[in-house]
Amino acid sequence: MNRIFGMSKAKAPKPTMEDAIASTDKRVTDVETKIKKLEGELTRYRDQLGKMRDGPGKNTVKQRALRVLQQKKMYESQRDQLMQQSFNMESTVFATENIRNTMSSVQAMQDANKAMKKQYKNVDIDQIYDIQDEMAELLEQANEVQELMGRNYSLPDDIDELDLEAELDALGDDLDFQEEVPSYLNDTMPAMPDLLPEAPEGSMQQQNPADKPAEPTRAEPALRM
């Protein structure tokens, strides 16, 4: 049967937006190449016209330059249109990605809400209150046990705290709270003796060597002949 009717051709995959953008960008590149080629021709014609005199030959070259300039304008218009198409498609892809991400986020939030609702079904608020009350009661009992274990048995129960404070105030009047000074510091220190006697008046005046009495001279014995 396949030989008679032939096999059906496999359908080509539909082009994606990325494929369309890549194809459009390639066309933009091809058009820009043609524009650069025409710009080179215009430069050559401009130099040629600058060297020619007015006349039929110059007019012919000028007409060719005008046709090249017209083609250049046409290619530039096509390039701008292709670039705008590529930009529009890229914007569409960007918006599509945003929508896809938003839908994924919404789906994730819905799944999380379902999971939370499922978990909260197993939670009993009244049971939590009962646990809190029971914990508070246990802590109170623990504090009571600690107070019992730390009770002081050295003092009788009939002693009043106010009486103890009054007795403490009475003791404060009789006791000397100053630090006791060692006995060796309380002993009277002996007076320091005068090391030098007082000098008489006028002792500091300098005596004149002339006022000093002359020492008696001893007579020398006469030499014997």
Side-chain angles (χ1 to χ4, degrees), residues 108-121:
M109 294 174 64
Q110 291 178 351
D111 295 339
N113 290 337
K114 291 180 181 179
M116 291 177 64
K117 290 179 180 179
K118 186 177 180 180
Q119 293 295 329
Y120 275 119
K121 288 181 180 179

Side-chain angles (χ1 to χ4, degrees), residues 3-4 29 41 120 127 132 138 151 171 179 225:
R3 294 180 180 179
I4 298 174
T29 302
E41 293 181 6
Y120 275 119
Q127 184 180 3
Q132 291 291 335
L138 291 174
R151 178 179 294 179
L171 290 176
E179 295 182 357
M225 297 301 295

Side-chain angles (χ1 to χ4, degrees), residues 207-225:
Q207 296 181 357
N208 190 357
D211 297 337
K212 185 177 181 182
E215 296 180 358
T217 58
R218 185 175 59 182
E220 296 290 340
L223 299 176
R224 295 180 180 182
M225 297 301 295

Side-chain angles (χ1 to χ4, degrees), residues 17-36:
M17 189 67 72
E18 287 78 7
D19 296 336
I21 293 173
S23 177
T24 303
D25 291 339
K26 184 177 181 303
R27 292 176 61 189
V28 170
T29 302
D30 295 339
V31 172
E32 287 181 346
T33 302
K34 293 180 180 180
I35 291 173
K36 290 181 180 179

Side-chain angles (χ1 to χ4, degrees), residues 11 18 52 65 187 192:
K11 294 182 179 180
E18 287 78 7
M52 296 177 65
D187 295 339
M192 297 296 293

Side-chain angles (χ1 to χ4, degrees), residues 87-181:
F87 175 77
N88 293 338
M89 288 186 291
E90 289 178 353
S91 299
T92 303
V93 171
F94 182 76
T96 304
E97 290 294 331
N98 285 339
I99 295 174
R100 186 180 294 111
N101 293 334
T102 302
M103 295 303 297
S104 299
S105 301
V106 171
Q107 185 64 39
M109 294 174 64
Q110 291 178 351
D111 295 339
N113 290 337
K114 291 180 181 179
M116 291 177 64
K117 290 179 180 179
K118 186 177 180 180
Q119 293 295 329
Y120 275 119
K121 288 181 180 179
N122 300 324
V123 176
D124 188 358
I125 300 298
D126 296 333
Q127 184 180 3
I128 295 176
Y129 279 117
D130 294 339
I131 293 174
Q132 291 291 335
D133 295 338
E134 184 178 359
M135 184 178 295
E137 185 178 356
L138 291 174
L139 290 175
E140 185 177 357
Q141 293 178 3
N143 292 331
E144 186 177 356
V145 171
Q146 293 297 326
E147 291 178 359
L148 290 174
M149 296 300 295
R151 178 179 294 179
N152 190 356
Y153 297 98
S154 60
L155 295 177
D157 296 336
D158 57 350
I159 295 180
D160 191 2
E161 186 177 357
L162 295 177
D163 296 338
L164 292 177
E165 292 182 357
E167 185 176 355
L168 180 61
D169 294 336
L171 290 176
D173 297 335
D174 298 336
L175 297 178
D176 185 8
F177 291 97
Q178 297 181 356
E179 295 182 357
E180 184 179 359
V181 181

Side-chain angles (χ1 to χ4, degrees), residues 6-14:
M7 296 179 62
S8 60
K9 295 182 180 179
K11 294 182 179 180
K14 295 181 179 180

